[in-house]
Amino acid sequence: MHAFDIDGLAASLRADTSDVEAFVEGLAVKLEDAMPGRVRVERARRGLRGPKLVRAISVEADDGRLELARSERGAVETRRARLSGGIVIKSEALEIDRWLGALGAALAAEAGRSERTRQALERLLLG
């Protein structure tokens, strides 16, 4: 099984965080491809006829859930929730770099279990 460099993966995920909207939209698509069934993306329209944009991303990880939420004004908040029996027992805000590091670790762990995830991560890193 191919091992992934978690630091390299996190660097790839944060490659262009300067455009927050594009970053969040691209991240949602990549995560849905890499971890189907373990990622939930909430989208909502901006205005009456505007496109549906990502409002929240939730990633189920081994030890809990990683959450990203975007406000109406585009600000991003990232959190890690610890779960027990499906119930949140602790939730903490994380700076984006720490959140991306935790996400990279969760993706690398999933890649060790799933060929589909491994292939999606290779596309993410190479493309």
Side-chain angles (χ1 to χ4, degrees):
M1 180 64 51
H2 180 69
F4 285 95
D5 170 20
I6 293 173
D7 292 332
L9 178 58
S12 174
L13 291 171
R14 74 171 73 84
D16 187 13
T17 57
S18 61
D19 181 353
V20 173
E21 187 170 305
F23 169 74
V24 171
E25 295 296 324
L27 182 62
V29 170
K30 290 173 183 177
L31 289 174
E32 287 173 318
D33 183 42
M35 298 176 71
R38 298 196 55 174
V39 173
R40 193 187 65 182
V41 177
E42 178 186 322
R43 293 179 170 87
R45 286 197 195 286
R46 185 181 294 169
L48 291 175
R49 297 178 190 240
K52 282 190 171 187
L53 300 175
V54 173
R55 297 281 308 236
I57 301 171
S58 177
V59 180
E60 299 299 325
D62 285 338
D63 61 346
R65 183 171 45 226
L66 296 168
E67 302 168 336
L68 179 147
R70 195 168 79 193
S71 73
E72 288 286 327
R73 292 177 287 158
V76 172
E77 178 183 306
T78 51
R79 304 189 73 72
R80 176 177 31 216
R82 304 265 183 221
L83 305 174
S84 177
I87 297 171
V88 175
I89 56 172
K90 180 181 178 185
S91 181
E92 65 178 315
L94 294 178
E95 294 201 13
I96 190 74
D97 282 348
R98 285 189 61 213
W99 187 86
L100 287 168
L103 177 62
L107 288 170
E110 182 68 17
R113 294 187 292 267
S114 165
E115 178 68 15
R116 177 184 173 142
T117 300
R118 187 189 63 74
Q119 290 173 352
L121 286 174
E122 285 179 350
R123 286 192 301 276
L124 173 71
L125 292 170
L126 298 175

